[in-house]
Every structure is written in C-alpha cells, then in structure tokens.
Amino acid sequence: MSEENINVWGYLREYEAERDDLLDAVEQVFRSGRLILGDSVQRFEHAFASYCGLAHGVGVGNGTDALVVALEALDVGPGDEVVTVSNTAAPTIVAINTVGARARFVDIDPKTMLMDTSALAGALSERTRCILPVHLYGQCVDMSPVLELARARGVAVLEDCAQAHGATLRGARAGSFGDIAAFSFYPTKVLGAYGDGGLVATSDDALAAACRRLRYYGMAERYYVLQRGHNTRLDELQAELLNRKLTRLDAYIERRQQLAARYAERLADTELRLPVVGPERTHVYYVYVVRHPKRDAIISALRERGINLNISYPWPCHTMEGFAHFGYAKGDLPVTEAVAEQIFSLPMYPSLTDAEQDRVCDELRSVLAELQ
C-alpha cells in the first residue's frame, strides 16, 4: 500500500481533534439570536487584542481589509507613500494600492528575509505617510530602528502581522509596537478561522473608533453615514470559532516550534539555508522557509515522492505587472529578487506528526544527494 501524500498544510486532522468544541461553537452562535457583530465578535476582539497587549480589536472580513481599514484610519490616501517590502504576500501591496497610495520598497536582510531597517531612511520622502513593516513567515521585524525613524519623521507605523500571531520581540508580541496593526485569520494562519477573517488592533482610542466606522459603511450610529466606509465585518460564527482556538494558540505555537527544532536538527548538515531567528525574538513558524539554488528541481522531485511543498513567494511584488505603476524594475531590489529564486516552504502545521516530518526530511535528504 502506497504512503499518503504529505501536504505543506492541512486542517482535517486538527478538525477531528477539536470537532466537538468547534461544533459546539456553531451551535452557540446559531442559537444566540445574533448573527452579525454579536457577543462572539466582541469577546474575540477584546480577547485577541489583550493577547497582543493592545486595548482595542476591530474585527473585519479578512486580512486585506484589515490593512485597508488601518491605512484609511491613518488618513493614508492618494499622493501619499507607504514604505514597505516587496518580499511579502501580494495583499500587503494590494491594500496600499486600494487606498490610492504609492508603495516605496526597501530591500530585505539576507539572513532573516525581513525588512532591511538600515535601508529604511533612504526610502523615506516628503510624501511618506506610513511605514509598513511585514512580520513575515512568523517572526518580527526589528522594530526599534523603525519606530525611531518614524517618530523622528512624524510618520505612522502599521504592522502587517498576518503571519506572526504570538511572535515576540524583546518580550512584546507582534502588533504592539506601532500605531496600529493588521491581522489575518485565513485558515492557514497560526490562528486560522474556518473561512475568512481579519482584525485591526491598536491602543489608540481615536484610531479604534475610526476603524469601527470604516468597517461599517462609515457609520458611527445606525443608518447615518459620517464618512466613506466599507462593509467588512468579522463573521459572528468565525469569531466564535476563533474564540475557541485562541485558548489553544500557545499550544499551536509550541508545536510549530518543536517541528522547527526537529527540522533544524535533521537538516543541519545539508546544503539548505535554514531559517534564522533574529536577536531577542521568538519565531512562531507560520511557514518553515528554506533556501536552495536548485529549488525547482527539489520541489518537482519531492512531488513525485508524494510530498507537496510551496513557495512563499515566487514573485517579488515589485516585479508584478499589476504593480508596474509604482515604477520599479527587475534589479532594483537585488536581495529580494535573489531570495525569491531559492525559497520554498516545508510542511508546517501542528497536526503534522513526527513520523511524517521524518519522511519529509529523509526524502529531502535523498533528493539533495541525487542533485549533487
């Protein structure tokens, strides 16, 4: 009998383990009499913001909307510039584009593959309204130089925390450093819903109030529009599912870190470049990203052996046709571009078994030996 495929992510085993609790959440919401912006959303907004060390959470429809709402709450719009990285999921840049601002890109640190904060000052201009660090793959950008520069220049800081639920820098959690933060609860995330979901978090009362208006048509009270807004609300059912899963978030993170430690041990003597954790940080390993110059051949060979990997992300945003109007060309961000040609993600999710991970490592080591 042939072995089953191992995918880079999966939720079915987790669902079976948590099924009774999750279905009880469904029953609770359906019997509550309130299906939109009810008690479950309010409880989750408060609980998740508190987990992050923040005062306010504003649930929205997805992570992209969280970024859009946060940017608009900061009054970022046409004519403004947002400084960020190209090594990110496209929604980061889609959100900047949606509000009519221009993305200005800085290159990345070749070790952590996060924003090169030493290059940040050179990217700021008179039009810079916001710095948007992306806590990619599961660990935080070094926020001290970001915040120092932002304060000196009088610009806002919006943290993209879609991949870093629970990650810490000097003991503080992702999202608690800047003016405002955006989170995604897409099913693959460290804290994932069973559908779409997002949240904006801040300790600024005025920004929180603005976000609540923006997510609900621009209304501060029912039926009366104060400003241009959106219809983007965290679903009551998804919120209750997230409430239940939030109690297990630290356990999810601990298992991801265990798997990462096993990968590091099993693959330490290979030609792969393994993840580097920056100083004074914890990594929650949303994805376990490695590098190799023969990346495509490795992925193809492992697929034939029943192991399906992923690339996060094969195209830097500044090279995409949809963002050509920002005026960047191939060659402008050499580290970002070099990394994009080599990175790929190994299977990483809490219900991955040790035996499955051992098989991934064994097959990967075999493929690497054949490619020498």
Side-chain angles (χ1 to χ4, degrees):
M1 184 176 178
S2 62
E3 294 179 293
E4 292 185 1
N5 285 1
I6 299 175
N7 296 321
V8 74
W9 176 80
Y11 75 91
L12 292 176
R13 194 178 295 155
E14 176 187 278
Y15 172 70
E16 288 302 322
E18 301 179 359
R19 181 175 182 272
D20 289 346
D21 189 39
L22 297 174
L23 292 183
D24 181 69
V26 175
E27 183 75 4
Q28 176 183 315
V29 171
F30 285 2
R31 290 188 178 277
S32 70
R34 181 74 179 271
L35 298 178
I36 302 293
L37 294 182
D39 291 342
S40 291
V41 168
Q42 292 178 28
R43 282 198 306 272
F44 179 70
E45 289 174 335
H46 175 74
F48 188 74
S50 296
Y51 177 85
C52 297
L54 294 162
H56 305 285
V58 181
V60 295
N62 53 67
T64 309
D65 285 354
L67 287 165
V68 171
V69 166
L71 287 167
E72 291 184 343
L74 293 169
D75 291 325
V76 176
D80 295 328
E81 293 181 346
V82 178
V83 178
T84 190
V85 291
S86 180
N87 182 38
T88 182
T92 306
I93 315 306
V94 168
I96 296 170
N97 203 36
T98 297
V99 302
R102 179 176 186 266
R104 283 182 65 91
F105 296 111
V106 295
D107 217 337
I108 58 174
D109 181 295
K111 293 181 180 179
T112 64
M113 296 182 285
L114 302 174
M115 177 182 280
D116 180 358
T117 56
S118 68
L120 192 54
L124 270 62
S125 74
E126 293 181 354
R127 293 187 174 184
T128 303
R129 189 64 179 269
C130 178
I131 301 173
L132 203 169
V134 181
H135 302 316
L136 199 69
Y137 301 148
Q139 71 169 320
C140 295
V141 173
D142 182 8
M143 292 299 294
S144 293
V146 175
L147 296 171
E148 183 179 352
L149 185 60
R151 289 166 184 155
R153 300 291 186 91
V155 300
V157 175
L158 162 59
E159 297 175 63
D160 184 339
C161 304
Q163 301 187 6
H165 311 79
T168 64
L169 169 65
R170 290 183 282 277
R173 287 198 171 107
S176 65
F177 301 98
D179 299 285
I180 196 166
F183 292 85
S184 168
F185 304 113
Y186 187 76
T188 62
K189 304 302 184 187
V190 179
L191 179 62
Y194 280 77
D196 275 321
L199 181 137
V200 185
T202 183
S203 287
D204 186 302
D205 295 347
L207 286 177
C211 290
R212 293 190 189 283
R213 292 193 302 271
L214 286 162
R215 75 162 174 195
Y216 195 69
Y217 313 111
M219 294 178 180
E221 57 182 298
R222 197 174 184 189
Y223 300 132
Y224 189 90
V225 174
L226 283 173
Q227 64 187 105
R228 184 175 66 87
H230 306 276
N231 176 16
T232 176
R233 300 173 295 231
L234 179 61
D235 182 75
E236 185 73 1
L237 176 56
Q238 296 300 338
E240 186 55 38
L241 294 170
L242 288 166
N243 272 320
R244 306 299 180 95
K245 295 186 71 176
L246 180 58
T247 65
R248 299 185 280 271
L249 176 55
D250 288 342
Y252 297 154
I253 291 171
E254 182 178 4
R255 177 56 180 164
R256 287 175 179 272
Q257 291 170 336
Q258 289 172 353
L259 290 167
R262 296 186 86 250
Y263 273 135
E265 180 181 0
R266 293 293 309 275
L267 302 173
D269 61 343
T270 69
E271 305 84 13
L272 293 169
R273 293 185 63 174
L274 304 180
V276 173
V277 182
E280 301 180 280
R281 287 171 248 195
T282 61
H283 201 311
V284 297
Y285 297 100
Y286 165 59
V287 282
Y288 191 87
V289 177
V290 299
R291 295 171 59 180
H292 195 283
K294 296 181 180 178
R295 182 263 313 276
D296 294 343
I298 293 169
I299 291 176
S300 179
L302 286 173
R303 186 182 302 115
E304 293 178 1
R305 301 177 187 214
I307 298 171
N308 300 310
L309 307 183
N310 189 45
I311 304 172
S312 298
Y313 299 94
W315 298 285
C317 290
H318 73 284
T319 67
M320 297 182 185
E321 184 178 350
F323 301 131
H325 57 289
F326 292 138
Y328 288 82
K330 192 171 183 180
D332 287 343
L333 301 171
V335 180
T336 297
E337 292 166 27
V339 162
E341 294 178 356
Q342 296 186 353
I343 53 175
F344 61 105
S345 304
L346 303 183
M348 173 58 74
Y349 48 98
S351 58
L352 184 73
T353 67
D354 287 358
E356 289 170 327
Q357 187 183 33
D358 289 341
R359 180 181 155 205
V360 171
C361 292
D362 290 342
E363 296 288 9
L364 179 53
R365 293 177 68 91
S366 176
V367 168
L368 290 171
E370 292 173 4
L371 291 174
Q372 281 185 339

